[in-house]
Amino acid sequence: MKLKQTLSAITLSLMAAASYAGEVEVLHWWTSGGEAKSVSVLKGLMEEQGNSWKDFAIAGGGGESAMTVLKTRAVSGNPPSAAQIKGHDIQEWGRLGFLTDLSDVAREENWDSVLPEVVTKVMKYDGDYVAVPVNVHRVNWLWVNPDVLKKSGAEVPTTLNEFFKVADKVKAAGFIPLAHGGQPWQDITLFEAVALAVLGAEDYQKAFVNLDMDVLSGEGMTEVFIQFRKMRDYIDPKYRGRSWNSATSMVINGEAAMQIMGDWAKGEFAAAGKTPGKDYLCVSAPGTQGQFTYNIDSFAFFKLSEEADRKAQKDLARTILDKDFQEIFNLNKGSIPVRLDMDMSRFDKCALDSMATFKSTSTNGGLVPSVSQGLATTSYVQAAIFDVVTNFFNAKDPNPEKTARKLARAVKAAM
C-alpha cells in the first residue's frame, strides 16, 4: 500500500511535464529478480503519466548481447528511445551523432547541482547532457553467508591472505568458499577486486584508466595474476556459464560462503527476504577497505522523429532523477542514489556504508572506475582485457609473468 501511495505521489508531481502522451521504448538487461522489480516501477510511472512503455529487455548481466542488438537498430534508423549505456560508450555514441540533447531538462531540474562531478562528466557529450544516471554501484563488495562461516569455524576476511585461509576452512567444512559464474565480465569483476587489493588505487588508476604500460606489464600486475589465479582453487567445478544471480543464490541458500560482486547482488538478497547484518553480510572485498570501485548505470537518449515520443523521452529523463523514484529504485536494486541531496533514512547499513565510502573516496583518491562494467576505459581496451584475463583464468597451466606482458601488449594494440 505504501509503495502504491508513493508511486501515486510521484506521478502527480510529474504529470504537469507530460503534456502529450508518447511511447518510450527502453533497452536494458535488467531481468533478474531485484532488477526486474526496479524496472517495473519506472514502467508504471511512465504509464501513469499517460505514456506507453515498450520494454526492450535482453538478458545478460554484462549487456554484450544488448549492445549488439542496439547497434543493428541504430544503424537501420530505428533506435529505441533510451538504452542502458554507460561510461566511454556514451561518448562513442555521441561522436556518431545518435544521441539527443537533454540540456533543457537538465537546466529545469538543476542536475549540475544535485549530481556529483564524477557522474556529470560521464553523462555529457561536448558539454551537453545526452544520458541520465540512475544510480551508483559499488563493485568491490564481498557478500558473506555468516552461518556458513560459523559452521566452518571462520571469520570474515579483510585481506587477501585472510581470504585464502578462510576459504581453506570453508572448503574443509564441505562448503563452496567462493560463488562465481564463469562469464567474462564476472571474471573481470573478480580480477579488478584483486587488482585493487594488490596495486592500490593509484596504480589501479595508472593501469586501467591511464593505460600505463609499465604498470600493466610490471611486477605488481604479475602478483595480481598470481593472487587472481589462486581464487580458482576455491570455486566449484560447475562455475562455467553460471549467471551472477545464480551464484548469489548459492550464498543465499548456504551452498557457498562468499561472493565478490557489485551491490546489485543485494537486490537478490532483498528479493529472497533476507536481512543484512543477520542473514548476510556486506563488507569490502578483501584488501580494498576504504576504496570504492564504481559503476554508474545510465540511459543514453537517442534522437527520435516523432514529437510526442520526444516529449515522452523528457518525461522519462525527469522521472529517472526524481527523488522518490531514486529512493524506490535503489532500495530495490541494491545500489545507492546518484543524487547527493537524498534522505537515506530508509536505506540499510550496506547502502549507508556505500554512500559514506563513495563520498569520502571522491576526495581522497580511493574512488576508481570499474573495468568490468565499462567505466574505466573504451570498449576496445575492455575487450582486450577481458580476453587476456579470462583465458588466463581458464588455462590449464597459466604463466602470470608472461600474462602481464601479454596484457600490456593487448591493451596497446586496442588503444
Side-chain angles (χ1 to χ4, degrees), residues 175-193:
F175 300 99
I176 297 168
L178 185 63
H180 183 69
Q183 297 172 324
W185 75 271
Q186 291 190 66
D187 293 342
I188 308 304
T189 298
L190 181 59
F191 173 79
E192 70 184 17

Side-chain angles (χ1 to χ4, degrees), residues 45-95:
L45 289 171
M46 290 301 295
E47 290 178 342
E48 287 190 31
Q49 292 178 65
N51 298 299
S52 62
W53 173 284
K54 187 175 181 181
D55 204 50
F56 189 1
I58 299 177
E64 295 90 349
S65 299
M67 288 303 97
T68 300
V69 175
L70 176 61
K71 288 173 184 176
T72 301
R73 286 278 304 270
V75 170
S76 65
N78 183 33
S81 307
Q84 191 179 347
I85 303 174
K86 54 193 175 183
H88 290 258
D89 285 347
I90 294 173
Q91 307 304 309
E92 185 174 345
W93 283 102
R95 283 192 295 270

Side-chain angles (χ1 to χ4, degrees), residues 316-382:
L316 178 62
R318 290 186 187 92
T319 304
I320 288 172
L321 281 176
D322 177 84
K323 277 188 179 182
D324 289 328
F325 172 70
Q326 281 279 305
E327 179 177 86
I328 294 171
F329 179 89
N330 287 288
L331 285 171
N332 286 334
K333 187 74 162 55
S335 46
I336 57 175
V338 71
R339 296 180 63 125
L340 294 174
D341 58 348
M342 291 289 296
D343 175 5
M344 297 290 290
S345 60
R346 290 188 62 198
F347 286 82
D348 61 28
K349 187 179 184 300
C350 298
L352 294 176
D353 288 349
S354 185
M355 180 64 86
T357 306
F358 177 66
K359 290 182 176 179
S360 65
T361 55
S362 64
T363 59
N364 67 16
L367 184 66
V368 297
S370 170
V371 180
S372 66
Q373 300 302 308
L375 270 292
T377 187
T378 67
S379 58
Y380 307 106
V381 172
Q382 183 195 39

Side-chain angles (χ1 to χ4, degrees), residues 162-415:
E162 288 180 6
F163 174 85
F164 294 124
K165 290 177 181 177
V166 167
D168 282 331
K169 290 183 178 181
V170 172
K171 196 172 184 178
F175 300 99
I176 297 168
L178 185 63
H180 183 69
Q183 297 172 324
W185 75 271
Q186 291 190 66
D187 293 342
I188 308 304
T189 298
L190 181 59
F191 173 79
E192 70 184 17
V194 174
L196 184 58
V198 173
L199 298 175
E202 184 177 352
D203 277 355
Y204 176 104
Q205 188 89 7
K206 287 180 180 178
F208 303 117
V209 178
N210 302 334
L211 307 181
D212 185 312
M213 292 297 128
D214 291 336
V215 179
L216 282 167
S217 62
E219 292 181 3
M221 192 61 70
T222 297
E223 183 62 23
V224 171
F225 279 108
I226 291 171
Q227 299 296 319
F228 175 58
R229 179 65 184 192
K230 284 177 69 175
M231 294 283 182
R232 268 287 306 275
D233 296 336
Y234 303 102
I235 296 169
D236 68 292
K238 299 179 182 179
Y239 74 98
R240 294 178 188 270
R242 178 185 291 141
S243 67
W244 70 267
N245 48 307
S246 293
T248 304
S249 293
M250 293 167 64
V251 180
I252 293 173
N253 298 329
E255 184 181 354
M258 300 170 283
Q259 180 187 22
I260 292 176
M261 183 54 60
D263 53 17
W264 47 90
K266 191 175 69 173
E268 299 303 297
F269 285 97
K274 302 300 182 181
T275 303
K278 177 186 175 184
D279 302 310
Y280 69 95
L281 307 176
C282 51
V283 297
S284 302
T288 70
Q289 290 79 4
Q291 300 178 99
F292 193 113
T293 308
Y294 68 86
N295 172 37
I296 304 167
D297 281 324
S298 56
F299 286 101
F301 283 65
F302 285 76
K303 292 179 179 177
L304 301 177
S305 57
E306 296 294 327
E307 177 65 17
D309 293 343
R310 291 199 295 269
K311 289 183 178 294
Q313 265 189 327
K314 293 182 179 182
D315 291 343
L316 178 62
R318 290 186 187 92
T319 304
I320 288 172
L321 281 176
D322 177 84
K323 277 188 179 182
D324 289 328
F325 172 70
Q326 281 279 305
E327 179 177 86
I328 294 171
F329 179 89
N330 287 288
L331 285 171
N332 286 334
K333 187 74 162 55
S335 46
I336 57 175
V338 71
R339 296 180 63 125
L340 294 174
D341 58 348
M342 291 289 296
D343 175 5
M344 297 290 290
S345 60
R346 290 188 62 198
F347 286 82
D348 61 28
K349 187 179 184 300
C350 298
L352 294 176
D353 288 349
S354 185
M355 180 64 86
T357 306
F358 177 66
K359 290 182 176 179
S360 65
T361 55
S362 64
T363 59
N364 67 16
L367 184 66
V368 297
S370 170
V371 180
S372 66
Q373 300 302 308
L375 270 292
T377 187
T378 67
S379 58
Y380 307 106
V381 172
Q382 183 195 39
I385 295 172
F386 272 38
D387 286 344
V388 173
V389 171
T390 297
N391 288 338
F392 171 85
F393 197 58
N394 294 295
K396 290 183 178 180
D397 188 23
N399 185 309
E401 186 176 357
K402 288 183 179 179
T403 303
R405 294 196 297 268
K406 183 178 180 181
L407 177 65
R409 290 195 302 269
V411 167
K412 188 173 183 178
M415 291 170 60

